[in-house]
């Protein structure tokens, strides 16, 4: 009887696992179909969800801090979704296709060196520095900051963020460029970006709040004078 019960549970578990695998294959087929037909729109939606998820996670971490009594910032979440969907998604689509064209067709790098070449061009030439600048500038603009404040925010945040970026992304992208097909490279990055966008969101919130405190102190000093 015990053996019968164990066999029954095993068959039931196997059946459920098989159904889960079929569901996963069905979702992947559905997603790949949309990716093939509408690559930019699909990547925009994916980027919106995952980059917004990073900010959601960041705000959750902040709320768990006993010293933080601030309510959930839906406007901040909206800004993260706008950046992810309207800027990061379409620009990344262009970037990965351009990088593939540059390294394989223009420079004709040997296949064994392709991942290293792509990492070099992405991390240390145009992509990473420009996207970090774009992130802080776009967040500042959506927050209604002045041009001078945005410049200061970029100036103080760019180098520390680049250093943090280089501690993570070169290794991640070596794996990405080596094993992941070009249409899915952004998806791989977005999954890892759940943590990275959380970090950017925390940095952006910190620099924004620091600037606000400085402005309040300056206004208070002017009033007192």
């Amino acid at each position: 009887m015990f053996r019968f019960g164990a066999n029954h549970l095993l068959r039931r578990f196997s059946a459920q696992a098989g159904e889960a695998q079929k569901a996963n294959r069905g979702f992947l087929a559905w997603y790949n179909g949309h990716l093939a037909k509408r690559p930019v729109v699909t990547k925009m939606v994916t980027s919106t969800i995952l980059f917004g998820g990073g900010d959601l996670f960041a705000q959750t971490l902040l709320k768990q801090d006993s010293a933080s009594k601030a309510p959930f910032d839906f406007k901040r979440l909206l800004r993260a979704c706008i950046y992810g969907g309207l800027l990061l998604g379409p620009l990344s689509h262009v970037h990965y296709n351009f990088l593939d064209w540059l390294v394989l067709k223009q420079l004709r790098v040997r296949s064994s060196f392709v991942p290293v070449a792509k990492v070099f061009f992405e991390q240390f030439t145009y992509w990473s520095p420009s996207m970090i600048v774009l992130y802080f500038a776009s967040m500042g603009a959506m927050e209604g900051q002045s041009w001078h404040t945005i410049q200061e925010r970029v100036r103080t945040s760019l180098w520390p963020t680049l250093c943090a970026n280089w501690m993570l992304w070169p290794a991640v992208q070596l794996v990405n460029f080596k094993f992941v097909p070009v249409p899915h490279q952004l998806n791989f990055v977005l999954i890892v970006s759940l943590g990275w966008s959380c970090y950017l969101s925390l940095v952006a919130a910190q620099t924004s709040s620091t600037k606000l405190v400085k402005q309040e102190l300056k206004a208070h000093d002017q009033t007192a004078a």
Side-chain angles (χ1 to χ4, degrees):
M1 183 175 181
F2 174 77
R3 182 179 298 177
F4 173 79
N7 290 335
H8 176 73
L9 289 175
L10 181 60
R11 286 195 299 270
R12 184 175 179 182
F13 176 78
S14 299
Q16 291 177 346
E19 292 176 359
Q21 289 178 352
K22 289 180 181 179
N24 288 336
R25 286 197 296 268
F27 172 78
L28 289 175
W30 173 83
Y31 183 85
N32 287 332
H34 282 279
L35 192 62
K37 293 178 181 178
R38 292 174 288 273
V40 177
V41 174
T42 303
K43 291 175 183 179
M44 288 173 66
V45 173
T46 307
S47 184
T48 300
I49 295 171
L50 292 180
F51 209 88
D55 181 77
L56 180 64
F57 183 55
Q59 293 203 51
T60 302
L61 289 179
L62 287 176
K63 286 185 71 65
Q64 290 178 351
D65 182 3
S66 59
S68 177
K69 303 297 182 181
F72 187 86
D73 192 342
F74 287 98
K75 290 183 179 180
R76 173 176 149 181
L77 176 60
L78 179 61
R79 290 193 294 268
C81 291
I82 290 173
Y83 172 82
L86 298 184
L87 295 176
L88 180 63
L91 289 176
S92 295
H93 172 78
V94 174
H95 161 63
Y96 286 113
N97 285 282
F98 167 76
L99 195 60
D100 199 59
W101 170 83
L102 174 66
V103 172
L104 295 180
K105 296 183 178 180
Q106 290 298 111
L107 300 179
R108 299 181 180 179
V109 176
R110 290 172 54 184
S111 59
S112 58
F113 293 105
V114 165
V116 176
K118 286 186 174 182
V119 167
F120 171 77
F121 283 110
E122 181 189 76
Q123 295 296 317
F124 303 105
T125 58
Y126 70 96
W127 180 251
S128 289
S130 62
M131 290 305 293
I132 290 173
V133 170
L134 178 62
Y135 175 80
F136 288 115
S138 61
M139 288 296 157
M142 285 187 283
E143 291 171 9
Q145 296 179 354
S146 66
W147 175 242
H148 175 74
T149 302
I150 292 173
Q151 285 181 307
E152 182 66 17
R153 186 180 196 177
V154 171
R155 186 187 67 82
T156 57
S157 302
L158 177 58
W159 180 247
T161 308
L162 265 177
C163 291
N165 171 86
W166 289 330
M167 293 178 65
L168 170 68
W169 286 108
V172 170
Q173 291 296 64
L174 276 175
V175 175
N176 192 17
F177 294 139
K178 178 68 175 178
F179 299 107
V180 181
V182 173
H184 290 281
Q185 286 175 357
L186 175 59
N187 294 335
F188 181 83
V189 166
L190 287 171
I191 292 172
V192 180
S193 287
L194 281 170
W196 176 246
S197 59
C198 175
Y199 170 79
L200 285 179
S201 183
L202 290 171
V203 172
Q206 183 180 16
T207 55
S208 179
S209 60
T210 301
K211 188 66 181 179
L212 180 61
V213 169
K214 289 181 179 179
Q215 290 174 345
E216 290 176 348
L217 289 174
K218 183 178 179 180
H220 179 269
D221 292 340
Q222 290 176 346
T223 302

